[in-house]
Amino acid sequence: MKKQVLTGIYLVRIPLPFRLDHVNCYLLEGNGGWTVIDTGLHNQSTVNIWEKMLEGRLVQNIVITHYHPDHYGYAGGLQEKTRAPVWMSQTDAENGLRSWETAHIDRIRRHYPACGLPEQLANQMVANTESFLSLITPHPKIEHYLQDGETVNLGWERYTVITTPGHSDGMLCFYNKLNKVLFSADHILPKITPNISYWFHGDPNPLQSYLDALHKVKELDIEIVLPSHGEPFYNAHERIDEIVHHHHERLDKVLDVTRSERTVYEVCLQLFGDRLNVHEMRFAIGETIAHLEYLVQQGEMKKEEIRGKWLYANL
């Protein structure tokens, strides 16, 4: 599906085979050609949509907001077809290359038992992670690493690059001050809260980074937000307040369920229940760790390892 959301800016909705069933990519018209923001998974459905969308159009550049498969997956494949340069942050370019390598998969395999996960579930979650490799290759060749505060042409307008770590370490948003437009990627979403997870590498306190980035974006004068999931929306500052409140409520619940020592998995079940599929459980475990580690860093939680399992309890 393609629809015009602003002059020269088109939302291209790419289907996903998950409960969150779509990702919003964007196509921006410019004087020298078209800019693509994010690409979807590398599967046949995505390939077919972009072939239709880009027929007869010159792609000037491909911009990737972060390395997660629904955004980064088809970047390399689309680059091969269009010969367009790919831009993204260096942090997430490296994460895109490393996150499905054997070394990282082995790190996940070692750490899931420390979370208290049942062996069968842990093995299923590792296999689920490995299954994404075909959906994110070939990897793109990055021509330019985008940096915080840099200004770039996207379509007809100039945008400021804003680093917003949390959902991923190298997440980027793009802000046009003149028109008060924010491409928010997965940093701010209209109906759901972005997943903030610790994946056993990178930023050890992603929730703190995320909350800091929300406050950073709240300082901007924003009229309309173009997100990666859901519909474009207004009232960005109110939405930021809602998301911050949500996380503080979740932190309070974590403290409540850790009055005695609990494993990550035990806390996760209290937060998210036991009706998640394997893919969803990966994200639930990651988000649980992020909240526990935030509280450890805040001095409100203790963590110790006993018989190979991490145990958390509030202080």
Side-chain angles (χ1 to χ4, degrees):
M1 181 191 79
K2 181 185 82 168
K3 66 176 181 180
Q4 185 168 347
V5 290
L6 292 169
T7 302
I9 300 176
Y10 298 85
L11 185 158
V12 179
R13 181 156 290 175
I14 306 289
L16 299 174
F18 316 122
R19 185 175 302 184
L20 182 58
D21 63 3
H22 71 275
V23 60
N24 297 335
C25 303
Y26 291 91
L27 191 56
L28 287 71
E29 186 176 5
N31 292 326
W34 294 77
T35 294
V36 172
I37 300 180
D38 288 340
T39 62
L41 297 171
H42 189 177
N43 57 26
Q44 194 58 51
S45 173
T46 299
V47 171
N48 292 344
I49 289 170
W50 281 118
E51 283 185 355
K52 181 178 180 181
M53 292 296 106
L54 297 176
E55 185 177 3
R57 293 187 169 103
L58 173 66
V59 177
Q60 188 173 22
N61 53 353
I62 300 167
V63 178
I64 303 300
T65 61
H66 61 295
Y67 80 99
H68 292 168
D70 52 330
H71 301 258
Y72 169 93
Y74 187 46
L78 190 60
Q79 182 180 46
E80 287 184 351
K81 286 181 177 292
T82 63
R83 305 300 179 186
V86 176
W87 302 347
M88 64 187 299
S89 70
Q90 183 171 359
T91 296
D92 268 17
E94 293 172 356
N95 281 333
L97 290 173
R98 294 174 181 170
S99 293
W100 290 272
E101 289 182 339
T102 300
H104 180 62
I105 299 297
D106 287 345
R107 187 182 301 117
I108 293 172
R109 187 176 284 110
R110 292 194 306 271
H111 285 133
Y112 274 159
C115 295
L117 284 159
E119 183 178 359
Q120 182 179 3
L121 178 58
N123 290 337
Q124 290 172 335
M125 290 166 61
V126 170
N128 181 260
T129 302
E130 291 176 311
S131 71
F132 278 86
L133 182 60
S134 65
L135 299 173
I136 54 92
T137 51
H139 293 289
K141 295 177 176 63
I142 311 304
E143 181 159 312
H144 178 64
Y145 294 124
L146 295 166
Q147 299 185 29
D148 188 54
E150 180 181 355
T151 56
V152 293
N153 287 324
L154 301 178
W156 288 320
E157 305 289 348
R158 297 284 286 172
Y159 287 81
T160 301
V161 178
I162 304 171
T163 54
T164 52
H167 180 70
S168 80
D169 289 358
M171 166 83 76
L172 300 176
C173 295
F174 300 94
Y175 175 63
N176 177 262
K177 184 176 181 180
L178 178 64
N179 297 308
K180 304 178 183 180
V181 175
L182 179 74
F183 285 95
S184 70
D186 282 358
H187 184 58
I188 309 169
L189 301 175
K191 297 296 183 182
I192 60 174
T193 56
N195 176 261
I196 309 301
S197 282
Y198 178 63
W199 298 109
F200 312 115
H201 70 92
D203 186 352
N205 194 358
L207 181 56
Q208 181 67 69
S209 298
Y210 180 63
L211 295 173
D212 291 344
L214 285 175
H215 291 301
K216 175 182 177 180
V217 171
K218 193 176 178 183
E219 295 177 358
L220 303 175
D221 184 10
I222 302 167
E223 181 172 329
I224 186 168
V225 180
L226 305 180
S228 288
H229 305 280
E231 296 297 324
F233 64 98
Y234 301 91
N235 302 317
H237 292 179
E238 289 84 350
R239 182 58 184 146
I240 289 171
D241 289 341
E242 291 171 358
I243 294 172
V244 171
H245 179 69
H246 160 83
H247 283 289
H248 284 296
E249 283 190 328
R250 178 159 288 169
L251 290 165
D252 288 342
K253 185 168 184 180
V254 171
L255 287 170
D256 186 57
V257 302
T258 54
R259 295 180 186 275
S260 59
E261 289 183 333
R262 295 283 184 265
T263 65
V264 174
Y265 183 56
E266 288 170 334
V267 176
C268 180
L269 293 178
Q270 292 294 315
L271 296 179
F272 299 102
D274 61 358
R275 296 189 175 185
L276 303 179
N277 63 36
V278 171
H279 176 71
E280 292 163 350
M281 182 59 75
R282 283 203 302 118
F283 288 90
I285 287 290
E287 180 131 351
T288 300
I289 298 172
H291 284 73
L292 287 165
E293 290 296 326
Y294 174 89
L295 290 167
V296 170
Q297 295 297 319
Q298 292 292 111
E300 297 182 63
M301 179 83 65
K302 68 174 182 177
K303 175 187 180 183
E304 55 186 343
E305 185 173 340
I306 299 177
R307 293 187 294 276
K309 289 185 172 58
W310 299 326
L311 297 175
Y312 295 83
N314 71 42
L315 296 172

